[in-house]
Amino acid sequence: MESSLSTWPWDYLGSFKYLLYGPFIAKWFYSRSQEENNMKEATWCLHILIICLLRCTIHSAWNTLSNMLFLTRNRRIIKEGVDFKQVDNEWDWDNFILLQAMIGSLGFYMLQDQINLPLWDFRGFLAIIVLHITISEPLYYFLHKCFHGNYLFNNYHSLHHSSPVPQPFTAGHATFFEHIILGGIIGIPILGSCLLGYGSLTMIYGYVLIFDWLRCLGHCNFEIISHQLFEAIPFLKYLIYTPTYHSLHHTEKETNYCLFMPIFDVLGDTLNPKSWEMHTKLSIESGKNGRVPDFVFLAHVVDMTSAMHAPFLFRSFASTPFCTRLFLLPFLPLVFVFMFVMWAYSKVFLATFYNLRGRLHQTWVVPRFGFQYFLPFAAEGINNQIEQAILRADKLGVKVISLAALNKNEALNGGGTLFVNKHPNLKVRVVHGNTLTAAVILKEIPQNVSEVFLTGATSKLGRVIALYLCRRQVRVLMLTMSTERFQKIQKEAPVEYQKYLVQVTKYQAAKNCKAWIVGKWITPREQSYAPKGTHFHQFVVPPILAFRRDCTYGDLAAMRLPEDVQGVSSCEYTMERGVVHACHAGGVVHSLEGWTHHEVGAIDVNRIDLVWDAAMKHGLKPVSFLKKID
């Protein structure tokens, strides 16, 4: 049974909770159209809305900074990653902003005749500082300590501490009861200053926003305050806490209870003795490289809208499979500008990480968009970016680096052979992961299938799929206009199986074939040649349109990471949670197996079953994205 006031009254509304801001908007519009004496009410409604927007912006900006791993990776306090469970638990982190908007409006309507607020009054800043230090700080300290008692902690405060890795959004993740109290702690200095006649709009804006800024600072999980500041001004460490200081409270809960000022922990004898030593150590080590990853997946930006799927931009959006949302469209001009900035100045950067069986796996991103890979004049620059990433990984001691999507394009770098040939002494293993991609596609084809139709038949994947299937005595209709390429592939097959490879030049040749393997994008018109009941397996990017209602469609080859993976909080493009592209999984398998060879260039058909068996052994599971259009 839930404790009284532990849940939020509008939980059942979901995203419709934002409609509760509607009365503020309606009141502002209505009051503007009425008598002059109603303008005060209209102005206050507008101020409340602006403050709410600014508070959301502060928390979001801190979250962005906290998750920019390319800036903060060596400053992180708790090294583990945030997982989907924490993201979901903190989904409604902004509930407190809505609550305090209501508290603020209630206070205004109760005292509007007693309070007159100018834009600026310096005395108000002095008053609110004094009231904060003498009332809010000790009151919070006392109540926070009480909330760590058995009953209050188990029924209320444990929710806040259920987030294993502090994040700026964790600051708002607490029960309804706690935020009512916190609203009072924030309101006392504001109300007191106003009743003394020293209040001002600037004071209210400044206090509320600085309060939120400091709360986010304490929960950001990376050390931003230099130890040299405290060495230069020693008493300052008693007046302002640090991210390290508050993180210790989350790991060792019986210490460091203060709001923002450690002096109250000193006076209450609850100061964690490791606070200053740990802060100094983290600050000094922030200039050193952290733990070396065992495996790196080298990705790139897909397109303009997917660029906003990065977890450091919209964490909740990144935690679900990517799809184009209307709220993203206004940001496109900004992304367009950043694209050119990255093109001119940016280098490969760290985007995400997770841990698997004691191994650190990272995703690095080449700062190039998909369409740029098809610009002839951009090829050299892209290859330079990939090469520098490989050399950096080699220098750091990374064991395996896997090339994603267009980073292993045959026309660009021969599927990675360019780098391996140029640097024959590489210790890092360069992997394209396509062996497992082929295995996933092939293992989804039923054993009783006797004939398949293959588009993109002479591509890297098309070639190995054809060679593997012909050994299974499956007749492969290879769609290609190039007889030379077809014959080259056919000659690679054992003589007794060459007859199973058949060149076709028209889609009509597959009118009786119900197993299509699509490696080249096909239009709805071309799909129309498939018979009823056809299943479209595919390895084409982007996936084909699900046009036929009487057919089924597979999605891109993918695998679910093992169940013991830790710290995954974002989806890999359109993949479901915990699912990665098969080429990513191929690199993971290469790393877990400790294979010492490069996997570049053409796919070895003899290794398909070997790689598949290794993936199964390590707990990776194939994901069948079978879809039927109702």
Side-chain angles (χ1 to χ4, degrees):
M1 182 177 177
E2 293 180 339
S3 302
S4 177
L5 299 180
S6 63
T7 58
W8 293 85
W10 48 78
D11 270 353
Y12 68 96
L13 293 176
S15 296
F16 290 104
K17 70 181 181 182
Y18 296 109
L19 295 177
L20 296 176
Y21 286 107
F24 294 97
I25 300 172
K27 182 65 176 177
W28 178 58
F29 278 109
Y30 175 76
S31 298
R32 283 179 59 86
S33 65
Q34 300 302 307
E35 299 292 335
E36 184 68 23
N37 58 6
N38 285 328
M39 285 303 296
K40 188 175 182 180
E41 294 183 10
T43 302
W44 261 102
C45 286
L46 179 61
H47 284 307
I48 288 173
L49 290 170
I50 292 173
I51 289 175
C52 289
L53 179 61
L54 291 174
R55 299 183 81 180
C56 287
T57 301
I58 285 174
H59 281 78
S60 297
W62 266 105
N63 180 72
T64 293
L65 181 60
S66 177
N67 288 285
M68 284 182 167
L69 299 176
F70 50 91
L71 295 177
T72 64
R73 65 186 182 278
N74 295 330
R75 294 178 174 270
R76 288 176 63 83
I77 301 164
I78 297 176
K79 307 299 183 182
E80 288 76 16
V82 176
D83 58 18
F84 287 118
K85 181 179 179 181
Q86 180 171 340
V87 172
D88 290 343
N89 286 342
E90 295 176 353
W91 197 275
D92 292 312
W93 64 270
D94 58 345
N95 274 338
F96 79 98
I97 297 177
L98 177 56
L99 170 65
Q100 291 177 17
M102 295 176 179
I103 294 175
S105 63
L106 181 62
F108 165 73
Y109 283 113
M110 291 175 62
L111 302 169
Q112 58 179 316
D113 295 331
Q114 287 80 27
I115 297 175
N116 183 37
L117 297 178
L119 179 63
W120 169 269
D121 189 333
F122 180 72
R123 296 172 299 174
F125 285 91
L126 297 178
I128 205 166
I129 290 173
V130 171
L131 290 171
H132 176 84
I133 294 174
T134 58
I135 299 178
S136 291
E137 285 281 350
L139 180 60
Y140 179 91
Y141 175 83
F142 171 75
L143 292 174
H144 192 186
K145 197 171 180 180
C146 289
F147 268 101
H148 276 261
N150 287 336
Y151 177 79
L152 289 177
F153 186 85
N154 292 334
N155 290 278
Y156 296 100
H157 196 50
S158 60
L159 179 67
H160 179 67
H161 281 274
S162 66
S163 298
V165 182
Q167 293 276 282
F169 289 158
T170 309
H173 179 52
T175 58
F176 181 58
F177 180 48
E178 287 179 277
H179 274 299
I180 290 176
I181 293 175
L182 188 62
I185 289 171
I186 296 174
I188 288 172
I190 295 175
L191 183 60
S193 299
C194 291
L195 291 177
L196 288 170
Y198 301 147
S200 68
L201 287 174
T202 309
M203 179 202 74
I204 294 174
Y205 271 83
Y207 181 72
V208 171
L209 298 182
I210 290 173
F211 195 99
D212 279 5
W213 193 92
L214 289 172
R215 291 264 293 164
C216 290
L217 170 70
H219 291 86
C220 70
N221 194 40
F222 70 95
E223 190 49 72
I224 194 173
I225 300 177
S226 172
H227 69 287
Q228 295 174 333
L229 178 63
F230 293 153
E231 289 177 354
I233 314 174
F235 71 88
L236 195 59
K237 66 184 179 183
Y238 299 107
L239 302 182
I240 184 70
Y241 74 168
T242 67
T244 303
Y245 187 95
H246 191 69
S247 288
L248 275 170
H249 171 71
H250 277 260
T251 54
E252 301 180 22
K253 300 179 180 62
E254 304 306 316
T255 59
N256 294 7
Y257 293 112
C258 77
L259 179 55
F260 304 131
M261 301 177 69
I263 185 64
F264 291 94
D265 281 308
V266 175
L267 296 174
D269 195 27
T270 54
L271 176 70
N272 192 308
K274 296 185 291 186
S275 297
W276 315 132
E277 179 185 350
M278 184 174 172
H279 171 257
T280 300
K281 181 181 178 182
L282 282 168
S283 179
I284 292 173
E285 292 180 351
S286 63
K288 302 177 182 178
N289 284 325
R291 180 182 170 189
V292 175
D294 297 274
F295 165 72
V296 168
F297 183 58
L298 187 62
H300 63 80
V301 188
V302 178
D303 53 35
M304 292 287 181
T305 51
S306 69
M308 291 177 276
H309 197 245
F312 56 81
L313 292 179
F314 301 105
R315 190 181 75 169
S316 57
F317 177 48
S319 70
T320 58
F322 170 77
C323 65
T324 302
R325 310 283 180 86
L326 289 178
F327 80 88
L328 297 175
L329 300 182
F331 296 97
L332 286 178
L334 189 61
V335 175
F336 191 75
V337 172
F338 272 99
M339 178 192 70
F340 284 104
V341 172
M342 288 195 299
W343 200 346
Y345 300 107
S346 185
K347 297 180 181 179
V348 171
F349 61 89
L350 169 63
T352 62
F353 74 94
Y354 61 87
N355 290 283
L356 180 61
R357 298 168 192 167
R359 298 166 180 260
L360 176 61
H361 292 191
Q362 293 181 345
T363 295
W364 297 358
V365 178
V366 175
R368 295 294 184 269
F369 289 68
F371 77 90
Q372 292 172 300
Y373 283 75
F374 300 98
L375 302 176
F377 58 85
E380 182 179 355
I382 292 172
N383 274 333
N384 286 339
Q385 291 272 354
I386 299 171
E387 182 180 5
Q388 290 305 311
I390 292 172
L391 293 177
R392 177 185 165 198
D394 189 60
K395 183 178 180 180
L396 289 174
V398 177
K399 296 180 177 64
V400 175
I401 183 167
S402 181
L403 307 181
L406 296 173
N407 285 332
K408 58 193 173 193
N409 191 308
E410 286 293 319
L412 183 69
N413 52 47
T417 55
L418 172 68
F419 312 114
V420 172
N421 293 337
K422 186 175 180 180
H423 303 282
N425 297 320
L426 286 174
K427 295 179 181 178
V428 64
R429 303 294 92 180
V430 181
V431 175
H432 56 47
N434 281 342
T435 306
L436 186 56
T437 302
V440 171
I441 296 168
L442 288 163
K443 298 300 179 179
E444 288 184 351
I445 298 172
Q447 290 293 322
N448 61 353
V449 168
S450 59
E451 183 179 71
V452 300
F453 175 63
L454 177 63
T455 74
T458 60
S459 65
K460 181 193 297 185
L461 279 167
R463 164 194 162 272
V464 76
I465 287 171
L467 291 173
Y468 186 93
L469 287 176
C470 77
R471 294 184 181 190
R472 278 176 44 184
Q473 299 182 33
V474 175
R475 189 167 182 261
V476 183
L477 306 178
M478 300 175 63
L479 180 68
T480 176
M481 302 299 294
S482 174
T483 301
E484 180 183 354
R485 290 183 179 180
F486 166 75
Q487 290 178 346
K488 183 179 179 181
I489 295 172
Q490 189 181 42
K491 289 178 182 178
E492 289 188 65
V495 176
E496 65 271 27
Y497 299 124
Q498 290 181 3
K499 63 183 178 180
Y500 291 101
L501 300 180
V502 181
Q503 181 185 8
V504 297
T505 57
K506 296 181 179 180
Y507 288 91
Q508 290 90 325
K511 64 182 180 180
N512 295 318
C513 181
K514 292 188 176 183
W516 285 38
I517 305 176
V518 182
K520 182 180 180 181
W521 211 82
I522 56 176
T523 65
R525 182 177 182 277
E526 291 164 341
Q527 292 180 39
S528 67
Y529 293 111
K532 181 179 179 180
T534 294
H535 178 64
F536 293 93
H537 305 272
Q538 52 184 320
F539 58 93
V540 59
V541 180
I544 61 175
L545 299 174
F547 171 72
R548 293 282 298 274
R549 293 182 176 274
D550 57 351
C551 297
T552 53
Y553 293 78
D555 211 328
L556 299 178
M559 300 200 83
R560 186 172 297 280
L561 291 170
E563 293 182 0
D564 54 345
V565 67
Q566 298 173 320
V568 180
S569 63
S570 59
C571 291
E572 191 168 283
Y573 195 40
T574 58
M575 300 292 139
E576 296 293 328
R577 287 182 167 187
V579 174
V580 297
H581 291 86
C583 60
H584 183 152
V588 171
V589 171
H590 206 100
S591 174
L592 291 174
E593 283 291 304
W595 287 331
T596 57
H597 66 280
H598 296 291
E599 184 189 317
V600 294
I603 302 171
D604 184 354
V605 66
N606 296 311
R607 291 189 61 83
I608 288 179
D609 289 329
L610 175 66
V611 172
W612 175 262
D613 291 341
M616 298 299 100
K617 180 180 73 174
H618 289 291
L620 285 93
K621 299 178 181 178
V623 178
S624 178
F625 288 96
L626 191 63
K627 299 176 181 178
K628 183 167 177 68
I629 307 301
D630 296 322

